[in-house]
């Protein structure tokens, strides 16, 4: 089946999300749709899947024009969509989740024929190498497997075209590699795949053809053999971008953060961080590597006062901070870029300005005698928006309507907007576009060069290697090794991440 | 210009909801009228005409009951300073305003808690406890012969205190042990009701002399809340002004103070509030205290200023209507005030409608419920209203 989107235009209030976009994908072909956050990729796919109606333009399947008034019609036409944010019911098991809405029935009452569904699902998952336990509950499955369930769901509905919207955002490098295998298998079996991403190396690895979107319009079409990472980045961003972080050698000073034999509980009766001991010096970046879920989250929460320390010590500038509240620790000069940006780092429903003062609203100049000084808040927020290049219509815009990169810039502006002794940055660039990543990395290095101690936690090996002056690796709650940058090769760090002994 | 547009955008949905609800109400009026129904088989056209007449009578009665009769305005003005004519002309409006006063207080109270992410369903109980506090203060202070201003201050203070104390219980339970405020506040509503019943038949201080029914002494013997207008029959009193002032204060507090900022932050995103170093537990308690105090003041004014005696019926479901008002009003003080006025008009106008047409006031509760439903399901309402319009625009441009 050949799919063509022709001259699709979609206007949102104030944003031209799609501007005469044309793409095509042939049977058995993988189309990589590349673009920064906000380029209009999701909008285009929502039009394809019947969630939105285009203002103009046409959808053609095998040359005939089709109109999808709702998602059901798109599904019936063979279009399967795996959304950026999964839409699964946590308490269902895999069989129910996959069959839901298209379930085989049996008997006079049309009851759910679980046995048949189960057989069909097992058959599908074997055919395409999508290993899942059909009886597992969704809530007990890791994200990577949930994604396979979403793919199975699409295949179960006999999709000829599978759309994957930023599927790798939630995956570890290994899981991404497995996903690529699945995609190649599907293509070989005749399914057309539209693979959406903002990661350059991914389209190069898996796509047959590449279409690049920029600000709602097609910026170019190419193939992996003709393009490379830097030419793609340029097409995507509209200017030349630096793909590696440029930074001078670190000049470490005295230790700022000292962690000694720290134990942190996970709140479910287990130990999340086990006897962690390390130091971070002024003017250096310690990057903590590790596969997601090896205690990094809890370590960061303990360092920033969000989770109690069970035993051991946390010393900043020679002062003990164990048991300190988040505010106490922040006031001691700790900037915290939280791992879960939407949950912890900002308040959707509040404006950019309000989010900018989220943890300083109670201090002069933002408030005196308990009264907010709206003028001072507006003035500082305006300056910060300018300094940190936050793209927002105004400081009174709800932060929820900004792109992820701009939201993160507001957070970074807030955290770096005061005297910082220690930066704790967890997954500071997760889900961001190339331009924003470059920018945030630059700002973090700037803090280091200004004499702050920097602790970065990242599951992206590239980020760890690009930024770390020293690299610590966490595995099952322990720090299993700390390497100098020159010794921290991809192989050594990767082995430690997998649990090998240093 | 943009301000006006913003305002229009915010009131569009509530306004549409009220209109659609009135429309549905009209259909119900027609279909529940036996005469209209009886006519349908032989004379469908006549039935429709009759139905429209009935609806017209009902809604004009509603409007006149709520806002007065234009003819009477003219007469009153023409006659100059005749107090009786003026009272006759303007009483519907002032009664509408008076009916909206308790709605404003409790609407504001509930709104504050919603903004903090606390679902206070206990406006009813806090209002009743405030009424009890107001009653006690009026009898004790007024009975001791203190000057009226001081007695009134006492009434307001004790009303606030009782309301806040009643709200403190669910607040601290939620903050300390995570007890759901929805459950605890509802339960405390019943307890407040029965507690007041108990006092009214057992406590000599407040019990009506030589009566065994649960009813308090007549409070106007102890203190009278001053009315705003110079004509005696227009009962609108100080409580109205206090309610408006409180709306301003609440707005200032939530958007102009550090504490208000904290409450709003906690209401929108608790983990982020914690991350930002705010005491989330104290936010809950503070929100409940403020909420309870406002509802309590409302109760005190209602009992001392309007009803002038305490019974267990003093609240009349205001706590529940207030939830609707807070939501319809977009959880903004100005919205709460505006919505309270609309709901007050419905309540007040309903009486005359009942008198003129025999349509029970329950129809208005039905209309209120519809308004809430339409607001709660904005996409439904948008679809009802917008898509035919949009289609027409498209056709016109095609
Ligand atoms: N429902 C919507 N209403 C208004 N604007 C929207 C809506 N959805 C997306 N946008 C805007 O359209 C643009 C494209 O968004 P999107 O398609 O999500 O980009 P991408 O998926 O490439 O990151 C962005 O500026 C976004 O803010
Ligand atoms: Mg997207």
């Amino acid at each position: 089946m050949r799919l063509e989107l022709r001259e699709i235009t979609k206007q949102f209030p104030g944003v031209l999300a799609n501007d005469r976009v044309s793409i095509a994908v042939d049977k058995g072909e993988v189309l990589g749709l590349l673009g920064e956050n906000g380029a209009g990729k999701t909008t285009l796919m929502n039009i394809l899947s019947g969630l939105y109606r285009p203002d103009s333009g046409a959808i053609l399947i095998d040359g005939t024009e089709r109109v999808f008034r709702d998602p059901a019609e798109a599904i019936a036409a063979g279009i399967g969509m795996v959304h950026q944010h999964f839409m699964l019911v946590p308490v269902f098991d895999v069989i129910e989740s996959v069959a839901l809405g298209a379930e085989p029935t049996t008997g006079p009452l049309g009851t759910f024929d679980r046995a048949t569904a189960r057989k069909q699902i097992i058959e599908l998952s074997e055919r395409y190498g999508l290993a899942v336990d059909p009886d597992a509950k969704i809530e007990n499955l890791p994200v990577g497997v949930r994604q396979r369930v979403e793919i199975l769901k699409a295949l179960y509905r006999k999709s000829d075209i599978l759309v994957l919207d930023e599927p790798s955002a939630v995956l570890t490098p290994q899981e991404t590699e497995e996903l690529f295998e699945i995609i190649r298998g599907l293509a070989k079996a005749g399914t057309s795949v539209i693979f959406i991403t903002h990661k350059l190396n991914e389209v190069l690895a898996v796509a047959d053809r590449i279409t690049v979107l920029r600000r709602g319009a097609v910026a170019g079409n190419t193939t992996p053999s003709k393009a490379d990472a830097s030419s793609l980045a340029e097409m995507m961003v509209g200017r030349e971008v630096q793909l590696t972080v440029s930074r001078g050698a670190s000049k470490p000073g005295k230790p700022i953060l000292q962690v000694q034999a720290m134990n942190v509980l996970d709140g479910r009766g287990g130990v999340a961080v086990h006897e962690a001991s390390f130091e971070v010096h002024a003017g250096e970046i310690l990057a903590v590597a590790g596969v997601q879920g090896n205690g990094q989250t809890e370590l960061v929460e303990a360092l920033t006062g969000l989770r109690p320390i069970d035993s051991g010590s946390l010393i900043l500038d020679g002062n003990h901070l164990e048991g300190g509240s988040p505010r106490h620790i922040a006031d001691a000069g700790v900037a915290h870029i939280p791992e879960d940006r939407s949950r912890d780092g900002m308040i959707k429903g509040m404006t950019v300005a309000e989010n900018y003062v989220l943890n300083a609203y109670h201090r002069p100049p933002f408030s005196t005698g308990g009264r907010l000084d709206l003028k001072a808040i507006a003035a500082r927020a305006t300056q910060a928006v300018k300094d940190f290049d936050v793209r927002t219509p105004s400081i009174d815009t709800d932060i929820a309507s900004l792109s992820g990169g701009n939201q993160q810039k507001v957070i970074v502006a807030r955290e770096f907007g005061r005297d910082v002794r220690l930066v704790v940055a967890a997954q500071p660039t997760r889900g961001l576009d190339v331009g924003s990543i470059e920018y945030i990395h630059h700002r973090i290095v700037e803090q280091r060069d200004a004499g702050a101690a920097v602790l970065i936690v990242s599951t992206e090996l590239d980020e760890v290697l690009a930024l770390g002056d020293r690299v610590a690796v966490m595995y099952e709650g322990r720090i299993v090794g700390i390497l100098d940058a020159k010794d921290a090769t991809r192989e050594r760090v990767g082995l430690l991440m997998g649990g090998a002994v240093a | 210009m943009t301000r006006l547009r913003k305002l229009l955008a915010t009131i569009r949905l509530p306004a549409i909801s009220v209109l659609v609800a009135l429309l549905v109400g009209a259909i119900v009026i027609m279909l529940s009228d036996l005469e209209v129904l009886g006519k349908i088989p032989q004379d469908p056209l006549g039935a429709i005409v009759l139905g429209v007449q009935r609806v017209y009578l009902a809604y004009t009665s509603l409007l006149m009951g709520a806002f007065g009769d234009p003819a009477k305005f003219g007469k009153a003005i023409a006659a100059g300073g005749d107090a009786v004519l003026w009272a006759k002309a303007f009483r519907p409006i002032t009664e509408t305003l008076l009916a909206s006063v308790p709605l404003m207080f409790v609407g504001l109270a509930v709104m504050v808690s919603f903004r903090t992410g606390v679902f206070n369903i206990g406006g009813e109980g806090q209002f009743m406890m405030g009424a009890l506090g107001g009653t006690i203060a009026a009898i004790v202070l007024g009975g001791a012969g203190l000057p009226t201003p001081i007695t009134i201050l006492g009434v307001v203070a004790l009303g606030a205190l009782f309301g806040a104390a009643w709200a403190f219980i669910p607040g601290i339970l939620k903050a300390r042990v995570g007890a759901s405020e929805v459950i605890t506040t509802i339960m405390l509503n019943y307890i407040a009701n029965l507690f007041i019943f108990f006092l009214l038949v057992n406590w000599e201080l407040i019990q009506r002399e030589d009566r065994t029914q649960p009813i308090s002494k007549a409070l106007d013997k102890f203190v009278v809340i001053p009315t705003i207008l110079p004509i005696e029959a227009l009962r609108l009193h100080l409580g109205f002004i206090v309610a408006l002032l409180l709306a301003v204060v609440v707005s200032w507090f939530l958007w102009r103070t550090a504490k208000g900022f904290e409450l709003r932050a906690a209401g929108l995103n608790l983990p982020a509030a914690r991350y930002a170093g705010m005491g989330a537990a104290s936010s809950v308690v503070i929100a409940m205290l403020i909420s309870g105090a406002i509802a309590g003041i409302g109760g005190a004014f209602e009992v001392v200023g309007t009803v002038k005696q305490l019974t267990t019926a003093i609240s009349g479901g205001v706590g529940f209507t207030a939830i609707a008002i807070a939501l319809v009003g977009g959880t903004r003080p100005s919205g709460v005030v505006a919505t309270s006025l609309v709901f007050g008009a419905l309540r007040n106008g309903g009486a005359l409608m009942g008198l003129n047409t025999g349509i029970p006031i329950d129809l208005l509760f039905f209309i209120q419920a519809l308004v809430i439903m339409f607001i709660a399901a904005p996409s439904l309402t948008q679809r009802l209203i917008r898509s035919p319009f949009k289609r027409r625009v498209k056709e016109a441009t095609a």
Side-chain angles (χ1 to χ4, degrees), chain A residues 306 326-327 336 338 342-350 354 357-359 361-362 367 370-372 374 411 414-415, chain B residues 6 115 252 254-262 264-266 268-279 394:
Chain A
L306 287 166
R327 175 157 296 170
H336 176 197
S342 299
R343 198 192 65 156
D344 296 323
M346 64 186 171
I347 297 189
K348 293 178 180 171
M350 282 188 147
E354 286 174 320
V357 298
L358 196 59
N359 52 20
Y361 66 93
H362 58 292
S367 70
R371 281 174 50 193
L372 294 178
L374 296 186
I411 294 172
R414 176 180 75 216
E415 297 302 313
Chain B
K6 238 182 171 172
R115 277 276 169 189
W252 175 83
L254 282 176
W255 280 276
R256 295 293 166 93
T257 68
K259 204 72 213 167
F261 184 87
E262 269 175 30
R264 284 189 298 123
L268 286 165
N269 183 344
L270 212 51
R274 242 167 64 73
Y275 155 87
M278 305 172 187
K394 264 207 183 136

Coordinates of all heavy atoms in Angstrom, one line a residue, chain A residues 306 326-327 336 338 342-350 354 357-359 361-362 367 370-372 374 411 414-415, chain B residues 6 115 252 254-262 264-266 268-279 394:
Chain A
L306 N 14.6 15.9 48.6 CA 13.3 15.4 48.3 C 13.1 14.0 48.9 O 11.9 13.6 48.9 CB 13.1 15.4 46.8 CG 12.9 16.8 46.2 CD1 13.0 16.8 44.7 CD2 11.5 17.4 46.6
P326 N 14.1 20.7 51.0 CA 14.5 21.1 49.7 C 14.8 22.6 49.7 O 15.8 23.1 49.0 CB 13.2 20.9 48.9 CG 12.6 19.7 49.5 CD 12.8 19.9 51.0
R327 N 14.0 23.4 50.4 CA 14.3 24.9 50.4 C 15.6 25.2 51.1 O 16.4 26.0 50.6 CB 13.2 25.6 51.1 CG 13.5 27.1 51.3 CD 12.2 27.9 51.5 NE 11.4 27.8 50.3 CZ 10.1 28.3 50.3 NH1 9.6 28.9 51.3 NH2 9.4 28.2 49.2
H336 N 18.9 22.7 41.0 CA 18.4 21.3 40.7 C 17.6 21.3 39.4 O 16.5 22.0 39.4 CB 17.6 20.8 41.9 CG 17.0 19.4 41.6 ND1 16.0 18.9 42.4 CD2 17.3 18.5 40.7 CE1 15.6 17.7 41.9 NE2 16.4 17.4 40.9
P338 N 15.4 19.0 37.5 CA 14.9 17.7 37.9 C 14.7 16.8 36.7 O 14.6 17.2 35.5 CB 13.5 18.0 38.5 CG 13.2 19.3 37.9 CD 14.4 20.0 37.5
S342 N 8.1 17.7 33.6 CA 6.7 18.1 33.7 C 6.2 17.9 35.1 O 5.3 18.7 35.6 CB 5.8 17.2 32.8 OG 6.2 17.4 31.5
R343 N 6.7 16.9 35.8 CA 6.1 16.6 37.1 C 6.7 17.5 38.2 O 6.0 18.1 39.0 CB 6.4 15.2 37.5 CG 5.4 14.7 38.6 CD 5.9 13.4 39.2 NE 7.2 13.5 39.8 CZ 7.6 12.7 40.8 NH1 6.9 11.7 41.2 NH2 8.8 12.9 41.3
D344 N 8.0 17.7 38.2 CA 8.7 18.4 39.3 C 9.2 19.8 38.9 O 9.2 20.7 39.8 CB 9.9 17.6 39.8 CG 9.5 16.2 40.3 OD1 8.5 16.2 41.0 OD2 10.2 15.3 40.1
G345 N 9.5 20.0 37.7 CA 10.3 21.2 37.3 C 9.5 22.4 37.1 O 10.0 23.5 37.1
M346 N 8.2 22.2 36.8 CA 7.4 23.4 36.5 C 6.0 23.1 36.8 O 5.6 22.0 37.0 CB 7.5 23.7 35.0 CG 7.0 22.6 34.1 SD 7.3 22.9 32.4 CE 6.8 21.3 31.7
I347 N 5.2 24.2 36.8 CA 3.8 24.0 37.1 C 3.0 24.5 35.9 O 2.9 25.7 35.6 CB 3.4 24.8 38.4 CG1 4.2 24.3 39.5 CG2 1.9 24.8 38.6 CD1 3.8 24.8 40.9
K348 N 2.4 23.5 35.2 CA 1.6 23.9 34.1 C 0.3 24.5 34.6 O -0.2 24.1 35.6 CB 1.3 22.6 33.2 CG 2.5 22.0 32.6 CD 2.2 20.8 31.8 CE 3.5 20.3 31.2 NZ 3.4 19.0 30.6
G349 N -0.1 25.5 33.9 CA -1.3 26.3 34.4 C -0.8 27.6 35.0 O -1.5 28.5 35.3
M350 N 0.6 27.7 35.3 CA 1.1 28.9 35.7 C 2.0 29.5 34.6 O 2.4 28.8 33.6 CB 2.0 28.7 36.9 CG 1.2 28.6 38.2 SD 2.3 28.5 39.7 CE 1.3 29.3 40.9
E354 N 5.8 33.1 36.5 CA 5.5 32.5 37.8 C 6.5 31.3 37.9 O 7.0 31.0 39.0 CB 4.1 32.0 37.9 CG 3.1 33.2 38.1 CD 1.7 32.8 38.1 OE1 1.3 32.0 37.3 OE2 0.9 33.4 38.9
V357 N 10.0 32.2 39.0 CA 10.3 32.5 40.4 C 9.8 31.3 41.3 O 9.7 31.5 42.5 CB 9.6 33.8 40.8 CG1 10.2 34.9 40.0 CG2 8.1 33.7 40.7
L358 N 9.6 30.2 40.8 CA 9.0 29.1 41.5 C 9.6 28.8 42.9 O 8.9 28.5 43.8 CB 8.9 27.8 40.7 CG 8.0 26.7 41.1 CD1 6.6 27.2 41.2 CD2 8.1 25.5 40.2
N359 N 10.9 28.9 42.9 CA 11.5 28.6 44.3 C 12.2 29.9 44.8 O 13.1 29.8 45.7 CB 12.5 27.4 44.3 CG 13.5 27.5 43.1 OD1 13.7 28.6 42.6 ND2 14.0 26.4 42.7
Y361 N 10.1 33.0 44.9 CA 9.0 33.9 45.1 C 9.0 34.5 46.5 O 8.4 35.6 46.6 CB 7.7 33.2 44.7 CG 7.4 32.1 45.8 CD1 6.6 32.4 46.9 CD2 7.9 30.9 45.7 CE1 6.4 31.5 47.8 CE2 7.7 29.9 46.6 CZ 6.9 30.2 47.7 OH 6.7 29.3 48.7
H362 N 9.5 33.8 47.4 CA 9.3 34.2 48.8 C 10.4 35.2 49.3 O 10.5 35.5 50.4 CB 9.3 33.0 49.7 CG 10.5 32.2 49.6 ND1 10.9 31.5 48.5 CD2 11.5 31.9 50.5 CE1 12.0 30.8 48.6 NE2 12.4 31.1 49.8
S367 N 9.5 39.2 46.5 CA 8.4 39.5 47.5 C 9.0 40.2 48.7 O 10.1 39.9 49.1 CB 7.5 38.3 47.8 OG 8.3 37.4 48.6
G370 N 5.8 39.3 52.5 CA 4.8 38.4 52.1 C 4.0 38.8 50.9 O 3.1 38.1 50.4
R371 N 4.3 40.0 50.3 CA 3.6 40.5 49.2 C 4.4 40.3 47.9 O 5.6 40.7 47.9 CB 3.2 41.9 49.3 CG 1.9 42.1 50.2 CD 1.7 43.5 50.4 NE 1.7 44.3 49.2 CZ 1.7 45.6 49.2 NH1 1.8 46.3 50.3 NH2 1.7 46.3 48.0
L372 N 3.9 39.8 46.9 CA 4.6 39.6 45.7 C 4.8 40.9 45.0 O 4.0 41.8 45.0 CB 3.9 38.7 44.7 CG 3.7 37.2 45.1 CD1 2.9 36.5 44.0 CD2 5.0 36.5 45.3
L374 N 5.0 42.1 41.7 CA 4.8 41.7 40.3 C 5.7 42.4 39.3 O 6.1 41.8 38.3 CB 3.3 41.8 39.9 CG 2.3 41.0 40.7 CD1 0.9 41.2 40.2 CD2 2.7 39.6 40.8
I411 N 13.4 26.5 33.2 CA 13.9 25.8 34.4 C 15.4 26.1 34.6 O 15.8 26.5 35.7 CB 13.7 24.3 34.3 CG1 12.2 24.0 34.3 CG2 14.4 23.6 35.4 CD1 11.9 22.5 34.0
R414 N 15.9 29.6 35.7 CA 15.5 29.8 37.1 C 16.6 29.3 38.0 O 17.1 29.9 39.0 CB 14.2 29.0 37.4 CG 13.8 29.0 38.8 CD 12.5 28.2 39.0 NE 12.8 26.8 38.9 CZ 12.0 25.9 38.4 NH1 10.8 26.3 37.8 NH2 12.2 24.6 38.4
E415 N 17.1 28.1 37.7 CA 18.1 27.5 38.6 C 19.5 28.1 38.6 O 20.2 28.2 39.6 CB 18.2 26.0 38.3 CG 17.0 25.2 38.5 CD 16.4 25.3 39.9 OE1 17.2 25.1 40.9 OE2 15.2 25.6 40.1
Chain B
K6 N -10.4 38.8 26.0 CA -10.1 37.8 27.0 C -11.4 37.5 27.9 O -11.7 36.4 28.2 CB -9.0 38.3 27.9 CG -7.8 37.3 28.0 CD -6.8 37.9 28.9 CE -5.6 37.0 29.2 NZ -4.6 37.7 30.0
R115 N -8.6 26.0 44.3 CA -7.4 26.5 43.8 C -6.2 25.8 44.4 O -5.1 25.8 43.9 CB -7.3 28.0 44.1 CG -8.0 28.8 43.0 CD -7.1 29.1 41.8 NE -7.9 29.6 40.7 CZ -7.4 29.8 39.5 NH1 -6.2 29.4 39.2 NH2 -8.2 30.3 38.6
W252 N -6.7 39.3 45.7 CA -5.4 39.9 46.1 C -4.5 38.8 46.7 O -3.4 38.7 46.4 CB -5.6 41.1 47.0 CG -4.4 41.7 47.5 CD1 -3.6 42.6 46.9 CD2 -3.8 41.4 48.8 NE1 -2.5 42.9 47.7 CE2 -2.6 42.2 48.9 CE3 -4.1 40.6 49.9 CZ2 -1.8 42.2 50.0 CZ3 -3.3 40.5 51.0 CH2 -2.1 41.3 51.0
L254 N -4.6 35.5 46.5 CA -4.2 34.4 45.7 C -3.1 34.8 44.7 O -2.2 34.1 44.3 CB -5.4 33.8 45.0 CG -6.2 32.8 45.8 CD1 -7.4 32.3 45.0 CD2 -5.4 31.6 46.3
W255 N -3.3 36.1 44.1 CA -2.4 36.5 43.0 C -1.4 37.5 43.4 O -0.5 37.8 42.6 CB -3.3 36.9 41.8 CG -3.8 35.8 41.1 CD1 -3.2 35.1 40.1 CD2 -5.1 35.1 41.2 NE1 -3.9 34.0 39.6 CE2 -5.1 34.0 40.3 CE3 -6.2 35.3 42.1 CZ2 -6.2 33.2 40.2 CZ3 -7.3 34.5 42.0 CH2 -7.3 33.4 41.0
R256 N -1.4 38.0 44.6 CA -0.5 39.1 44.9 C 0.4 38.8 46.1 O 1.2 39.6 46.5 CB -1.2 40.4 45.2 CG -1.9 41.0 43.9 CD -0.9 41.4 42.9 NE -1.5 41.6 41.6 CZ -1.9 42.8 41.2 NH1 -1.8 43.9 42.0 NH2 -2.4 42.9 40.0
T257 N 0.1 37.6 46.8 CA 0.9 37.4 48.0 C 1.7 36.1 47.8 O 1.3 35.2 47.0 CB 0.1 37.2 49.3 OG1 -0.7 36.0 49.1 CG2 -0.8 38.4 49.5
A258 N 2.8 36.0 48.6 CA 3.7 34.8 48.4 C 2.9 33.5 48.9 O 3.0 32.5 48.3 CB 4.9 35.0 49.3
K259 N 2.1 33.7 50.0 CA 1.3 32.5 50.5 C 0.3 32.1 49.4 O 0.1 30.9 49.2 CB 0.6 32.9 51.7 CG 0.3 31.8 52.7 CD 1.5 31.3 53.3 CE 1.5 29.8 53.6 NZ 2.9 29.4 53.9
G260 N -0.3 33.0 48.8 CA -1.3 32.7 47.7 C -0.6 32.0 46.6 O -1.2 31.0 46.0
F261 N 0.5 32.4 46.2 CA 1.3 31.8 45.2 C 1.6 30.3 45.5 O 1.4 29.4 44.7 CB 2.6 32.5 45.0 CG 3.5 32.1 43.9 CD1 3.4 32.6 42.6 CD2 4.5 31.1 44.2 CE1 4.2 32.1 41.6 CE2 5.3 30.6 43.1 CZ 5.2 31.2 41.9
E262 N 1.9 30.1 46.8 CA 2.2 28.7 47.3 C 0.9 27.9 47.1 O 1.0 26.7 46.7 CB 2.6 28.7 48.7 CG 4.1 28.8 48.9 CD 4.4 28.9 50.4 OE1 3.7 28.4 51.2 OE2 5.5 29.6 50.6
R264 N -1.7 28.3 45.2 CA -2.0 28.0 43.8 C -1.0 26.9 43.2 O -1.4 26.0 42.5 CB -2.0 29.2 42.9 CG -3.2 30.1 43.2 CD -3.2 31.3 42.1 NE -2.0 32.1 42.3 CZ -1.2 32.4 41.3 NH1 -1.4 31.8 40.1 NH2 -0.2 33.2 41.5
A265 N 0.2 27.1 43.6 CA 1.2 26.1 43.1 C 0.9 24.7 43.6 O 0.9 23.7 42.8 CB 2.6 26.5 43.5
A266 N 0.6 24.6 44.9 CA 0.3 23.3 45.4 C -1.0 22.7 44.8 O -1.1 21.5 44.6 CB 0.1 23.4 46.9
L268 N -2.0 23.2 41.7 CA -1.8 22.7 40.3 C -0.9 21.6 40.2 O -1.0 20.7 39.3 CB -1.3 23.9 39.5 CG -2.3 25.0 39.2 CD1 -1.6 26.3 38.7 CD2 -3.2 24.5 38.2
N269 N 0.1 21.5 41.1 CA 1.1 20.5 40.9 C 1.9 20.3 42.2 O 2.8 21.0 42.5 CB 2.1 20.8 39.8 CG 3.1 19.7 39.5 OD1 3.3 18.8 40.4 ND2 3.8 19.8 38.4
L270 N 1.4 19.3 43.0 CA 2.0 19.1 44.3 C 3.4 18.7 44.3 O 4.2 19.3 45.1 CB 1.1 18.0 45.1 CG 1.0 18.2 46.6 CD1 0.6 19.6 47.0 CD2 0.0 17.2 47.1
P271 N 3.8 17.7 43.5 CA 5.3 17.4 43.4 C 6.1 18.6 43.1 O 7.2 18.8 43.7 CB 5.4 16.3 42.3 CG 4.0 15.8 42.2 CD 3.1 16.9 42.6
A272 N 5.7 19.4 42.2 CA 6.5 20.6 41.8 C 6.6 21.6 43.0 O 7.6 22.2 43.2 CB 6.0 21.3 40.6
A273 N 5.5 21.7 43.7 CA 5.5 22.6 44.9 C 6.5 22.1 45.9 O 7.2 22.8 46.5 CB 4.1 22.7 45.5
R274 N 6.5 20.8 46.1 CA 7.5 20.2 47.0 C 8.9 20.4 46.5 O 9.8 20.8 47.3 CB 7.3 18.7 47.1 CG 6.9 18.2 48.5 CD 6.3 16.7 48.4 NE 7.4 15.8 48.0 CZ 8.4 15.3 48.7 NH1 8.5 15.8 49.9 NH2 9.2 14.5 48.2
Y275 N 9.1 20.2 45.3 CA 10.4 20.5 44.6 C 10.9 21.9 44.9 O 12.0 22.2 45.2 CB 10.3 20.2 43.1 CG 11.3 20.9 42.3 CD1 12.6 20.3 42.1 CD2 11.1 22.1 41.7 CE1 13.5 21.0 41.3 CE2 12.0 22.8 40.9 CZ 13.2 22.2 40.7 OH 14.1 22.9 40.0
A276 N 9.9 22.8 44.8 CA 10.3 24.2 45.0 C 10.4 24.6 46.5 O 10.5 25.8 46.8 CB 9.2 25.1 44.3
G277 N 10.3 23.6 47.3 CA 10.5 23.9 48.7 C 9.3 24.5 49.5 O 9.5 25.0 50.6
M278 N 8.1 24.3 48.9 CA 6.9 24.8 49.7 C 6.4 23.7 50.6 O 6.5 22.5 50.2 CB 5.8 25.1 48.7 CG 6.3 26.1 47.6 SD 5.0 26.3 46.3 CE 5.9 27.4 45.2
G279 N 5.9 24.1 51.7 CA 5.3 23.1 52.6 C 3.9 22.7 52.1 O 3.0 23.4 52.3
K394 N -18.1 28.2 6.7 CA -17.3 27.5 5.7 C -18.1 27.5 4.4 O -17.5 27.8 3.3 CB -17.1 26.1 6.1 CG -15.7 25.9 6.7 CD -15.2 24.5 6.5 CE -13.9 24.4 7.2 NZ -13.8 23.1 8.0

